[in-house]
PDB file of all heavy atoms in Angstrom:
ATOM      1  N   VAL A 172      -7.218-178.189  25.713  1.00 98.00           N
ATOM      2  CA  VAL A 172      -6.882-177.132  26.677  1.00 98.00           C
ATOM      3  C   VAL A 172      -7.251-177.569  28.101  1.00 98.00           C
ATOM      4  O   VAL A 172      -6.516-177.309  29.056  1.00 98.00           O
ATOM      5  CB  VAL A 172      -7.569-175.806  26.274  1.00 98.00           C
ATOM      6  CG1 VAL A 172      -7.608-174.815  27.431  1.00 98.00           C
ATOM      7  CG2 VAL A 172      -6.845-175.205  25.073  1.00 98.00           C
ATOM      8  N   TYR A 173      -8.362-178.261  28.231  1.00 98.00           N
ATOM      9  CA  TYR A 173      -8.735-178.785  29.552  1.00 98.00           C
ATOM     10  C   TYR A 173      -7.625-179.694  30.092  1.00 98.00           C
ATOM     11  O   TYR A 173      -7.197-179.562  31.243  1.00 98.00           O
ATOM     12  CB  TYR A 173     -10.065-179.550  29.456  1.00 98.00           C
ATOM     13  CG  TYR A 173     -10.351-180.400  30.681  1.00 98.00           C
ATOM     14  CD1 TYR A 173     -10.727-179.809  31.888  1.00 98.00           C
ATOM     15  CD2 TYR A 173     -10.219-181.790  30.633  1.00 98.00           C
ATOM     16  CE1 TYR A 173     -10.966-180.589  33.019  1.00 98.00           C
ATOM     17  CE2 TYR A 173     -10.460-182.571  31.748  1.00 98.00           C
ATOM     18  CZ  TYR A 173     -10.825-181.969  32.944  1.00 98.00           C
ATOM     19  OH  TYR A 173     -11.048-182.737  34.056  1.00 98.00           O
ATOM     20  N   LEU A 174      -7.139-180.605  29.271  1.00 98.00           N
ATOM     21  CA  LEU A 174      -6.079-181.515  29.729  1.00 98.00           C
ATOM     22  C   LEU A 174      -4.831-180.725  30.129  1.00 98.00           C
ATOM     23  O   LEU A 174      -4.212-181.004  31.158  1.00 98.00           O
ATOM     24  CB  LEU A 174      -5.719-182.527  28.626  1.00 98.00           C
ATOM     25  CG  LEU A 174      -6.800-183.548  28.264  1.00 98.00           C
ATOM     26  CD1 LEU A 174      -6.332-184.421  27.099  1.00 98.00           C
ATOM     27  CD2 LEU A 174      -7.179-184.442  29.456  1.00 98.00           C
ATOM     28  N   LEU A 175      -4.487-179.721  29.314  1.00 98.00           N
ATOM     29  CA  LEU A 175      -3.288-178.920  29.623  1.00 98.00           C
ATOM     30  C   LEU A 175      -3.469-178.187  30.952  1.00 98.00           C
ATOM     31  O   LEU A 175      -2.564-178.146  31.784  1.00 98.00           O
ATOM     32  CB  LEU A 175      -3.022-177.920  28.491  1.00 98.00           C
ATOM     33  CG  LEU A 175      -2.505-178.535  27.182  1.00 98.00           C
ATOM     34  CD1 LEU A 175      -2.531-177.515  26.047  1.00 98.00           C
ATOM     35  CD2 LEU A 175      -1.086-179.091  27.360  1.00 98.00           C
ATOM     36  N   GLN A 176      -4.664-177.601  31.142  1.00 97.00           N
ATOM     37  CA  GLN A 176      -4.856-176.793  32.344  1.00 97.00           C
ATOM     38  C   GLN A 176      -5.047-177.653  33.584  1.00 97.00           C
ATOM     39  O   GLN A 176      -4.638-177.277  34.666  1.00 97.00           O
ATOM     40  CB  GLN A 176      -6.038-175.849  32.145  1.00 97.00           C
ATOM     41  CG  GLN A 176      -5.701-174.776  31.104  1.00 97.00           C
ATOM     42  CD  GLN A 176      -6.772-173.752  30.939  1.00 97.00           C
ATOM     43  OE1 GLN A 176      -7.943-174.043  31.179  1.00 97.00           O
ATOM     44  NE2 GLN A 176      -6.406-172.555  30.518  1.00 97.00           N
ATOM     45  N   LYS A 177      -5.645-178.790  33.421  1.00 97.00           N
ATOM     46  CA  LYS A 177      -5.878-179.608  34.605  1.00 97.00           C
ATOM     47  C   LYS A 177      -4.611-180.356  35.041  1.00 97.00           C
ATOM     48  O   LYS A 177      -4.359-180.503  36.217  1.00 97.00           O
ATOM     49  CB  LYS A 177      -7.007-180.622  34.353  1.00 97.00           C
ATOM     50  CG  LYS A 177      -7.213-181.553  35.567  1.00 97.00           C
ATOM     51  CD  LYS A 177      -8.602-182.113  35.659  1.00 97.00           C
ATOM     52  CE  LYS A 177      -8.736-183.131  36.793  1.00 97.00           C
ATOM     53  NZ  LYS A 177      -8.961-182.516  38.106  1.00 97.00           N
ATOM     54  N   TYR A 178      -3.835-180.818  34.067  1.00 98.00           N
ATOM     55  CA  TYR A 178      -2.763-181.749  34.430  1.00 98.00           C
ATOM     56  C   TYR A 178      -1.357-181.199  34.263  1.00 98.00           C
ATOM     57  O   TYR A 178      -0.388-181.865  34.613  1.00 98.00           O
ATOM     58  CB  TYR A 178      -2.903-183.037  33.604  1.00 98.00           C
ATOM     59  CG  TYR A 178      -4.182-183.787  33.907  1.00 98.00           C
ATOM     60  CD1 TYR A 178      -5.295-183.660  33.084  1.00 98.00           C
ATOM     61  CD2 TYR A 178      -4.284-184.594  35.051  1.00 98.00           C
ATOM     62  CE1 TYR A 178      -6.476-184.335  33.370  1.00 98.00           C
ATOM     63  CE2 TYR A 178      -5.462-185.260  35.345  1.00 98.00           C
ATOM     64  CZ  TYR A 178      -6.559-185.132  34.498  1.00 98.00           C
ATOM     65  OH  TYR A 178      -7.723-185.790  34.788  1.00 98.00           O
ATOM     66  N   PHE A 179      -1.204-179.998  33.692  1.00 97.00           N
ATOM     67  CA  PHE A 179       0.154-179.525  33.403  1.00 97.00           C
ATOM     68  C   PHE A 179       0.478-178.161  34.005  1.00 97.00           C
ATOM     69  O   PHE A 179       1.445-177.524  33.610  1.00 97.00           O
ATOM     70  CB  PHE A 179       0.405-179.515  31.888  1.00 97.00           C
ATOM     71  CG  PHE A 179       0.408-180.899  31.285  1.00 97.00           C
ATOM     72  CD1 PHE A 179      -0.778-181.488  30.859  1.00 97.00           C
ATOM     73  CD2 PHE A 179       1.585-181.633  31.181  1.00 97.00           C
ATOM     74  CE1 PHE A 179      -0.796-182.768  30.322  1.00 97.00           C
ATOM     75  CE2 PHE A 179       1.582-182.913  30.630  1.00 97.00           C
ATOM     76  CZ  PHE A 179       0.393-183.482  30.206  1.00 97.00           C
ATOM     77  N   GLY A 180      -0.343-177.721  34.974  1.00 92.00           N
ATOM     78  CA  GLY A 180      -0.020-176.513  35.736  1.00 92.00           C
ATOM     79  C   GLY A 180       0.319-175.320  34.864  1.00 92.00           C
ATOM     80  O   GLY A 180      -0.294-175.070  33.824  1.00 92.00           O
ATOM     81  N   ARG A 181       1.347-174.606  35.278  1.00 94.00           N
ATOM     82  CA  ARG A 181       1.705-173.338  34.658  1.00 94.00           C
ATOM     83  C   ARG A 181       2.088-173.502  33.180  1.00 94.00           C
ATOM     84  O   ARG A 181       1.626-172.742  32.329  1.00 94.00           O
ATOM     85  CB  ARG A 181       2.872-172.779  35.451  1.00 94.00           C
ATOM     86  CG  ARG A 181       3.286-171.415  35.072  1.00 94.00           C
ATOM     87  CD  ARG A 181       4.670-171.175  35.703  1.00 94.00           C
ATOM     88  NE  ARG A 181       5.227-169.921  35.242  1.00 94.00           N
ATOM     89  CZ  ARG A 181       4.860-168.737  35.694  1.00 94.00           C
ATOM     90  NH1 ARG A 181       3.928-168.628  36.596  1.00 94.00           N
ATOM     91  NH2 ARG A 181       5.405-167.638  35.219  1.00 94.00           N
ATOM     92  N   ASP A 182       2.926-174.490  32.874  1.00 94.00           N
ATOM     93  CA  ASP A 182       3.298-174.613  31.454  1.00 94.00           C
ATOM     94  C   ASP A 182       2.111-175.060  30.609  1.00 94.00           C
ATOM     95  O   ASP A 182       2.030-174.733  29.424  1.00 94.00           O
ATOM     96  CB  ASP A 182       4.546-175.469  31.202  1.00 94.00           C
ATOM     97  CG  ASP A 182       4.651-176.687  32.083  1.00 94.00           C
ATOM     98  OD1 ASP A 182       4.065-176.666  33.184  1.00 94.00           O
ATOM     99  OD2 ASP A 182       5.325-177.656  31.688  1.00 94.00           O
TER     100      ASP A 182
END
Side-chain angles (χ1 to χ4, degrees):
V172 163
Y173 166 73
L174 293 176
L175 288 169
Q176 291 185 333
K177 177 154 175 83
Y178 296 99
F179 294 87
R181 187 194 173 78
D182 39 335

